[in-house]
């Protein structure tokens, strides 16, 4: 199929958040309506419709320092294997190229096989883990921390500024930023599970202790996207009842930007980096 065949690629607006949520829900992803609102308000979301129905999407979310994240590449089960995802990712890449942006994404293993030949370079490997039944306890909850402290640590780790994104997360009902022993993490709601991340720490043992304290003060299922190279942290999570759901490969298209000064223990999510 030629790129010009089939229904056109269009830009979506904030009025499309419910239709986007329907696609991510169909795929059993954890995004909320508020997540979609971030992409539609602060980024560029491309879509393809079949009549009035939205059947495929891809988003480009810009960050500082000429960086952008490609995510929300979704195709309804009724419209797969028609090249729709390729057309939408091409639209994201072309938009990034015209703006001089380095593009990043977190790919599934199958996705990495597609993005590699396009010129994406592998960087971090991630592992998504889930804790289905946190065990609440009477142990003291971790201390609250400030958004300024979280954003400062995030800039060190990512090399670019995501203050707007992290502030939007932190201001949602149910969100909290917690810290202990030099560690800091954000906890927020998802559609089916609460999400921990980003999480920064100086030592794996302290990161594990903070995750344990978070889990002990939660009642809903939890997700965390751990950095695979933090092997002691990853092993500690699985030993304490977390199960690995799937891997992701972080990839970059374009020149390297500001060098990261530390490696996070967990990220904000494959859709946000």
């Amino acid at each position: 199929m030629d790129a010009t065949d089939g229904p056109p690629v269009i830009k979506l607006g904030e009025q499309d958040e419910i239709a986007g949520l329907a696609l991510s829900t169909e795929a059993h992803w954890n995004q909320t309506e508020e997540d979609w609102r971030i992409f539609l308000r602060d980024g560029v979301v491309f879509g393809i419709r079949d009549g009035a129905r939205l059947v495929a999407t891809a988003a480009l979310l810009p960050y500082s320092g000429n960086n952008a994240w490609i995510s929300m590449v979704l195709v309804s089960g009724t419209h797969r294997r028609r090249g729709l995802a390729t057309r939408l990712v091409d639209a994201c890449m072309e938009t990034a190229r015209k703006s001089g942006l380095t593009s990043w994404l977190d790919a599934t293993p199958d996705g990495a096989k597609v993005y590699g030949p396009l010129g994406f370079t592998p960087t971090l490997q991630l592992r998504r883990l889930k804790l289905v039944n946190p065990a609440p306890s009477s142990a003291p909850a971790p201390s609250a921390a400030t958004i300024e402290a979280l954003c400062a640590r995030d800039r060190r780790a990512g090399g670019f500024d995501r203050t707007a994104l992290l502030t939007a997360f932190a201001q949602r009902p149910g969100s909290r930023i917690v810290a202990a022993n030099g560690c800091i993490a954000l906890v927020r709601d998802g559609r089916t599970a609460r999400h921990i991340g980003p999480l920064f720490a100086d030592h794996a043992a302290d990161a594990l202790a903070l995750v344990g304290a978070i889990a002990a003060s939660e009642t809903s299922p939890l997700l965390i996207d751990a950095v695979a190279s933090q092997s002691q942290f990853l092993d500690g999570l699985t030993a304490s009842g977390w199960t690995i759901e799937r891997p992701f490969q972080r990839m970059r298209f374009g020149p390297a930007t500001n060098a990261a000064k530390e490696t996070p223990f967990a990220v904000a999510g494959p859709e946000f980096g």
Side-chain angles (χ1 to χ4, degrees):
M1 176 183 290
D2 293 335
T4 55
D5 289 344
V9 172
I10 59 174
K11 287 185 180 180
L12 303 180
E14 291 188 55
Q15 72 277 4
D16 294 301
E17 63 188 39
I18 299 301
L21 181 62
L23 275 179
S24 56
T25 299
E26 179 190 335
H28 305 292
W29 289 9
N30 197 45
Q31 285 79 26
T32 65
E33 186 176 337
E34 291 83 359
D35 291 329
W36 274 99
R37 198 169 298 139
I38 287 174
F39 290 108
L40 291 161
R41 181 190 65 222
D42 300 335
V44 180
V45 184
F46 294 100
I48 293 175
R49 299 186 191 279
D50 184 353
R53 180 187 169 210
L54 184 66
V55 296
T57 60
L60 183 73
L61 185 64
Y63 293 138
S64 71
N66 296 326
N67 294 280
W69 218 265
I70 295 175
S71 60
M72 308 312 292
V73 181
L74 288 156
V75 180
S76 175
T78 59
H79 286 71
R80 291 177 186 158
R81 302 188 183 280
R82 303 186 191 184
L84 303 188
T86 299
R87 294 175 61 201
L88 291 165
V89 171
D90 285 347
C92 290
M93 292 177 65
E94 179 63 12
T95 300
R97 184 193 66 78
K98 288 180 178 178
S99 300
L101 301 175
T102 290
S103 298
W104 300 77
L105 54 78
D106 290 331
T108 63
D110 287 342
K113 295 175 184 177
V114 174
Y115 298 127
L118 295 178
F120 280 85
T121 302
T123 59
L124 294 176
Q125 287 194 9
L126 307 172
R127 300 289 184 269
R128 167 157 284 193
L129 297 96
K130 188 170 188 177
L131 185 65
V132 177
N133 295 307
S137 77
S138 58
S143 300
T146 67
I147 185 64
E148 291 79 11
L150 180 69
C151 292
R153 203 72 184 262
D154 190 68
R155 283 192 295 272
R156 283 179 54 83
F160 42 89
D161 189 356
R162 300 193 298 178
T163 296
L165 174 72
L166 297 178
T167 299
F169 286 161
Q171 290 175 342
R172 294 179 186 176
S175 292
R176 56 187 180 134
I177 301 170
V178 295
N181 300 318
C183 311
I184 190 166
L186 173 71
V187 188
R188 71 183 196 272
D189 281 344
R191 186 181 63 84
T192 62
R194 299 264 285 164
H195 188 274
I196 301 173
L199 186 155
F200 308 103
D202 296 325
H203 305 287
D206 293 332
L208 286 167
L210 182 59
V211 170
I214 292 169
S217 59
E218 293 280 342
T219 57
S220 300
L222 295 168
L223 291 175
I224 191 168
D225 294 301
V227 175
S229 62
Q230 302 282 19
S231 56
Q232 185 180 346
F233 178 64
L234 192 62
D235 291 345
L237 289 174
T238 56
S240 60
W242 292 76
T243 56
I244 296 176
E245 285 202 326
R246 64 180 66 88
F248 291 99
Q249 175 66 65
R250 181 157 295 181
M251 309 183 82
R252 185 190 75 240
F253 185 87
T257 53
N258 295 336
K261 296 179 180 179
E262 68 172 293
T263 301
F265 281 82
V267 302
E271 70 272 50
F272 293 109

